[in-house]
Amino acid sequence: MLRGCMTALVFLGGLIAVMASSTAFAQGVLVASQPELAHRLPRPIPRPRPGEPGVLYDIARLEIDASIRNQVAEVQVGQTFKNRTSRTLQVRFVFPLPYQGAIDQMTFMVDGQELEGRLLEADKAREIYQSYVRRSRDPALVQWIGTGMFQTEVFPVPPGAERTVSLRYTQLCRRRGRLSDWLLPLSPAKYTCTPIGKLAIRGRVRSDSNLGNVYSPSHDVEIDRDGQHVARFEFIAKNHVPDSDFRLMWDTGDDAVQMSLVPYRPDPNQDGYFMLMIQPQFPDPSGGSDKAGKNVVLVLDRSGSMRGEKIDQARRAARRVVERFRRRDKFNVITYDSKVETLRSDLSGADKATRTDAIEYIDSMLAGGSTNIDGALSQALQIASQADGPVYVMFMTDGQPTVGEKNTMKIVANAQDALHEGTRLFSLGVGHDVNSRLLDKLASICLGQTSYVRPGAALDDAIEALWSRIGAPALTDAKLKILVDGKEGRTRQLYPEMYDLFSGDQLVIVGRYRKPGGVKIELSGDYLGKQQSFRFEDELPRQTGSGKDVFVERLWATRRIGQIIDEIDLHGEDDELVDELIVLSKRHGILTPYTAYLAEEQTDLDDMRRGRQVARSQLRSLGLEAGEEAFEQRALKGQLKLADRAAPAGAAGGINAPMDSFSLGGNRGIAIRAGGRALATPSDERESLQRRSSEPVRRIGSKTFFLRSGRYIDSEATAKQVESAIEIAQFSDAYFDLLEELDETDKAYLAEDREVVVRLGNQTYRIMKSEH
């Protein structure tokens, strides 16, 4: 088999090509399944790159459909590939088990014809995996050594022909407490020679009891709930190179608020991390008193810059929001340019006549004039102060204050003076001309948040998305109390902060814990005018035995970096915050416009003094209030603060990055501009695949590596440790001996096709690339 393309030939890891005869060679090396033919294999050649001669085939489609009922997953997979050579390929289909004892049956089909498959337990599979690695001299399958496998008999693929391989199997999902976990082995496909033309993962989770949290730590999945017992999920990507296994987690129960805890503490002498998922399913009240409704003030920018498509979208979205008000809701509409106008003088009940009047008022809105932000905000907060209960102000602007009060700090001070307890400000900043610094400061004091809409993006979609959240029943003034062994203060740095919890809006909180022990969590707040509390108990362990939940620490680091940037932006630079930003960026490979220098090969990762100088220089750009760069920086920090998944290694977003490119498991193009330099991951994934071996930052297993002098260096290894590293030749006996000592997470460090220096326990190793 072609060296380097092996895992392209293991499904969800590729297909393993084998020799049909002594002349069945393509450009490269085929791995014989028969030991007696091994001596006839030619010497391996370097790994081919996409577009170069020697690539055996392309994967056109990879489609997975899963039906999960309680803890049992029935999975169907289809893979279509095309032989790119002029010879018949003899191939064997190999499927690595996600974990031992997970699968109880499997059926293989090739173009509708069933093939016999064999289940190989870990010991036998280990021999086969090692033999593939030794003979092909390719490390792609290293991380699967120690797990079982299914494999088919050999079958032919004629030159230029397409073949569709399908399989169906039943898998028992792991469970911890109420939390179930489905794993689909996908990560070895990152070693494929070409991207997968189309990857589609679809499925349904069904539960006999109520279905609560549904979360993927690995991929940006679309989740659609169908009642209390069913959730559908979907992930689709084109020209995709998977960089991790697909993982889905869910919990079940009959509580109105379901909670699940995922701890991660690899070192018992250091802080642990935890992820707390909260899924509220409050009953939607019908009828009832005014207290059961929402108080909403809708504030719409009608200044001259809103002319054209933007004002049309604003009208359309505002109409849809008003149409969704119910009789028990109270609302008002404010429009502003140079002047500020209100539909009514106060909050009015949302009866049919009032809604009709509001829609006519919105339809008559014309764009023209300047932007009186202070006047509009003051009017909205004055109306909100009259309400009995929480008020949600939906505030939209596409520009800077140009009339009335124009000083940012005075506008913020005026808002703080007028702020009524229980008022929440949700701002929509539209376009690059918006004063992003002002909006973020307002969100900070008004206990809300800001969303940024790029030029050309659908404004009506953004407004509807905001309303779909705050329009649901809510637990207001929500507070979280966490006791570990009955004591407070044993958890810290929880993100995000919580003020209101909306029904159906899954909340993912991450934090650190100092001490292990039994944990009791109490969530309390006001629901429909009555104080409510919800309780949950679990355990924070002294040490976790597996690295599979390292995403918890990385998600915490992602949000902490966003919080640090926010604190510097709102309150000014602080030496300790700058140092923490550098340390977290280095450890986790989460680069921002202020730490992009870490990826430059000449940077000394241990030189904190130089790092502070560069970071401080770049952080001065946070002083910009408006314009594209200011917009992008504040959009980035907002994405980091509220990220659902850990940011990827390398550029986490930033200047000129698409809003939807941020680190939710995708491989979209991202660029950071810092001090005139550019650091980017290519937007074309085929180009990305070609450059994979020279990425400046790589995340492998639970560690981050930086490319230095042609080697990937563990970010946690000091210069002295790197210098004294034990050298081990790839594919040597010592190499395989070390593999036997490592757990499944650490095996990934030896699965690279480039030289790696890694710190494992108290020892540092230099894995020397095999020379041919």
Side-chain angles (χ1 to χ4, degrees):
M1 169 181 181
L2 274 171
R3 179 180 179 275
C5 291
M6 174 180 290
T7 322
L9 301 177
V10 178
F11 171 71
L12 301 180
L15 286 170
I16 302 294
V18 297
M19 288 203 331
S21 68
S22 59
T23 59
F25 297 112
Q27 177 69 30
V29 179
L30 299 175
V31 176
S33 60
Q34 301 92 332
E36 65 273 12
L37 297 179
H39 68 281
R40 299 168 63 179
L41 292 174
R43 187 175 181 179
I45 65 169
R47 178 192 299 263
R49 300 297 176 195
E52 295 180 357
V55 176
L56 291 179
Y57 78 96
D58 290 324
I59 303 175
R61 292 180 300 280
L62 187 55
E63 297 180 299
I64 297 99
D65 191 11
S67 178
I68 304 172
R69 183 67 177 263
N70 298 322
Q71 276 186 266
V72 178
E74 294 183 0
V75 185
Q76 182 164 322
V77 182
Q79 178 187 10
T80 301
F81 60 96
K82 183 176 181 178
N83 182 355
R84 291 181 54 181
T85 74
S86 59
R87 300 177 181 273
T88 296
L89 295 177
Q90 300 290 335
V91 299
R92 183 188 301 280
F93 194 90
V94 173
F95 184 87
L97 299 188
Y99 37 79
Q100 287 304 110
I103 296 174
D104 64 359
Q105 61 181 23
M106 180 176 284
T107 302
F108 288 100
M109 304 286 288
V110 178
D111 288 345
Q113 179 179 358
E114 184 171 344
L115 288 183
E116 180 182 351
R118 287 196 301 151
L119 169 63
L120 300 177
E121 297 297 338
D123 290 343
K124 180 61 178 176
R126 179 184 287 106
E127 296 177 11
I128 296 176
Y129 282 131
Q130 287 196 4
S131 68
Y132 286 152
V133 172
R134 286 180 184 274
R135 285 181 286 166
S136 67
R137 304 187 71 77
D138 187 309
L141 288 177
V142 158
Q143 65 193 93
W144 295 102
I145 292 175
T147 68
M149 69 159 70
F150 269 95
Q151 69 175 12
T152 68
E153 60 192 24
V154 175
F155 60 92
V157 184
E162 283 193 353
R163 284 289 183 269
T164 297
V165 177
S166 59
L167 64 152
R168 179 178 295 179
Y169 64 90
T170 302
Q171 177 179 348
L172 181 64
C173 301
R174 286 178 167 173
R175 185 165 182 167
R176 178 187 178 274
R178 294 191 304 182
L179 193 63
S180 298
D181 194 340
W182 178 52
L183 179 68
L184 181 72
L186 196 62
S187 59
K190 63 189 173 186
Y191 298 103
T192 57
C193 289
T194 58
I196 297 170
K198 178 183 178 181
L199 172 64
I201 303 174
R202 301 181 180 91
R204 297 150 301 284
V205 180
R206 297 179 176 87
S207 173
D208 293 340
S209 54
N210 288 342
L211 190 61
N213 294 282
V214 181
Y215 174 74
S216 173
S218 61
H219 290 72
D220 185 15
V221 299
E222 294 286 338
I223 296 175
D224 182 25
R225 293 179 179 272
D226 185 5
Q228 295 290 317
H229 300 274
V230 178
R232 304 177 189 277
F233 59 90
E234 182 177 71
F235 174 81
I236 296 178
K238 293 183 178 180
N239 292 327
H240 184 67
V241 182
D243 58 2
S244 68
D245 294 332
F246 181 88
R247 192 172 173 194
L248 191 77
M249 308 166 75
W250 67 96
D251 61 16
T252 59
D254 295 320
D255 298 330
V257 176
Q258 294 194 40
M259 293 184 249
S260 282
L261 193 70
V262 182
Y264 178 69
R265 196 185 196 199
D267 186 345
N269 298 314
Q270 301 290 333
D271 271 11
Y273 301 84
F274 66 90
M275 178 179 75
L276 176 65
M277 294 186 290
I278 303 176
Q279 176 66 58
Q281 294 292 349
F282 303 119
D284 192 3
S286 57
S289 66
D290 290 340
K291 286 186 177 180
K294 294 284 184 184
N295 297 312
V296 179
V297 181
L298 189 59
V299 187
L300 304 173
D301 188 344
R302 65 176 191 210
S303 61
S305 56
M306 288 289 293
R307 287 192 187 95
E309 183 180 5
K310 283 198 287 188
I311 197 70
D312 288 339
Q313 288 189 343
R315 290 193 200 104
R316 187 164 59 244
R319 282 198 303 268
R320 285 202 282 261
V321 170
V322 171
E323 288 168 354
R324 294 182 184 179
F325 287 138
R326 302 182 184 183
R327 180 178 294 273
R328 63 179 178 273
D329 296 326
K330 291 185 177 182
F331 77 102
N332 206 336
V333 180
I334 298 175
T335 61
Y336 70 98
D337 48 25
S338 305
K339 297 181 179 180
V340 179
E341 296 181 354
T342 62
L343 173 65
R344 304 281 174 104
S345 61
D346 57 8
L347 291 168
S348 301
D351 55 40
K352 183 176 181 180
T354 306
R355 293 199 307 271
T356 301
D357 189 29
I359 290 172
E360 291 176 355
Y361 176 77
I362 291 167
D363 286 342
S364 67
M365 182 174 62
L366 299 175
S370 302
T371 308
N372 188 354
I373 288 179
D374 183 65
L377 187 60
S378 296
Q379 185 66 39
L381 294 178
Q382 190 275 327
I383 291 174
S385 68
Q386 305 169 13
D388 179 16
V391 181
Y392 299 100
V393 178
M394 298 173 62
F395 188 88
M396 185 195 72
T397 179
D398 79 332
Q400 302 182 61
T402 54
V403 296
E405 182 57 68
K406 291 179 278 187
N407 182 278
T408 295
M409 297 311 296
K410 288 185 178 180
I411 294 174
V412 172
N414 291 342
Q416 195 159 18
D417 290 341
L419 186 64
H420 174 65
E421 183 180 0
T423 299
R424 308 286 188 258
L425 179 68
F426 291 84
S427 299
L428 284 173
V430 183
H432 292 150
D433 293 333
V434 71
N435 190 319
S436 56
R437 194 175 199 190
L438 169 61
L439 294 186
D440 274 12
K441 285 182 177 292
L442 289 170
S444 176
I445 67 167
C446 297
L447 307 182
Q449 68 183 62
T450 303
S451 301
Y452 290 98
V453 183
R454 278 186 169 78
L459 173 59
D460 49 349
D461 287 348
I463 294 177
E464 282 204 81
L466 176 56
W467 171 251
S468 67
R469 181 178 180 224
I470 68 176
L475 185 74
T476 59
D477 291 321
K479 296 178 177 59
L480 200 64
K481 183 178 181 180
I482 302 178
L483 301 178
V484 181
D485 281 348
K487 296 180 181 179
E488 292 188 89
R490 294 194 168 185
T491 60
R492 56 185 174 181
Q493 293 182 310
L494 273 64
Y495 305 113
E497 294 182 74
M498 181 169 54
Y499 307 111
D500 298 333
L501 186 61
F502 300 97
S503 185
D505 184 16
Q506 178 174 288
L507 179 64
V508 176
I509 294 176
V510 287
R512 302 174 70 170
Y513 67 95
R514 297 186 299 110
K515 299 283 188 179
V519 60
K520 293 184 178 180
I521 299 173
E522 180 180 5
L523 172 67
S524 61
D526 185 279
Y527 180 65
L528 302 182
K530 294 182 179 181
Q531 191 70 16
Q532 301 281 343
S533 63
F534 307 89
R535 293 175 176 81
F536 172 76
E537 295 186 11
D538 206 320
E539 185 83 16
L540 289 173
R542 181 177 181 274
Q543 185 175 16
T544 52
S546 170
K548 67 184 180 67
D549 291 330
V550 66
F551 74 88
V552 175
E553 179 182 356
R554 287 179 175 161
L555 179 55
W556 177 87
T558 299
R559 292 186 179 176
R560 176 57 185 163
I561 286 173
Q563 183 68 28
I564 290 171
I565 297 170
D566 191 41
E567 290 181 23
I568 292 174
D569 186 18
L570 297 179
H571 307 298
E573 188 179 304
D574 177 276
D575 288 346
E576 291 183 357
L577 289 177
V578 173
D579 284 356
E580 187 181 359
L581 175 63
I582 295 170
V583 169
L584 288 174
S585 295
K586 173 188 169 185
R587 178 172 179 177
H588 299 281
I590 303 171
L591 303 189
T592 68
Y594 326 107
T595 55
Y597 72 91
L598 289 168
E600 297 175 353
E601 190 153 349
Q602 68 270 24
T603 296
D604 181 354
L605 295 173
D606 296 327
D607 188 351
M608 281 295 294
R609 183 187 61 81
R610 173 61 179 160
R612 291 188 197 103
Q613 292 176 346
V614 177
R616 287 191 185 115
S617 173
Q618 301 305 328
L619 283 165
R620 294 192 186 105
S621 63
L622 282 172
L624 298 172
E625 291 193 339
E628 181 179 0
E629 188 168 347
F631 178 100
E632 297 291 356
Q633 288 183 93
R634 292 181 177 98
L636 167 63
K637 75 173 184 182
Q639 290 173 319
L640 289 165
K641 286 172 64 179
L642 298 174
D644 284 338
R645 273 155 290 281
I655 311 309
N656 293 336
M659 282 285 285
D660 63 356
S661 70
F662 171 66
S663 78
L664 299 182
N667 287 326
R668 304 179 182 97
I670 301 169
I672 287 178
R673 186 170 65 236
R677 302 184 303 276
L679 170 67
T681 59
S683 57
D684 185 326
E685 296 203 45
R686 290 182 181 270
E687 182 183 358
S688 174
L689 187 64
Q690 286 179 296
R691 297 184 181 180
R692 177 174 175 80
S693 63
S694 59
E695 290 172 347
V697 185
R698 179 84 65 85
R699 196 173 278 162
I700 307 170
S702 60
K703 292 176 173 286
T704 298
F705 293 78
F706 289 85
L707 189 62
R708 295 291 185 270
S709 302
R711 300 180 291 179
Y712 277 116
I713 306 294
D714 188 341
S715 65
E716 298 178 6
T718 66
K720 184 177 181 180
Q721 290 168 342
V722 172
E723 185 66 27
S724 61
I726 296 176
E727 295 184 357
I728 295 182
Q730 209 174 41
F731 313 125
S732 66
D733 289 341
Y735 174 84
F736 286 101
D737 289 343
L738 180 58
L739 272 174
E740 290 295 324
E741 298 175 10
L742 301 180
D743 62 25
E744 60 183 67
T745 302
D746 290 345
K747 286 186 176 73
Y749 307 129
L750 275 65
E752 289 297 309
D753 194 40
R754 181 182 283 275
E755 188 172 312
V756 173
V757 177
V758 59
R759 181 79 176 167
L760 297 174
N762 296 321
Q763 185 60 59
T764 304
Y765 298 92
R766 180 180 175 186
I767 308 302
M768 310 285 290
K769 190 174 180 224
S770 178
E771 298 295 336
H772 306 303

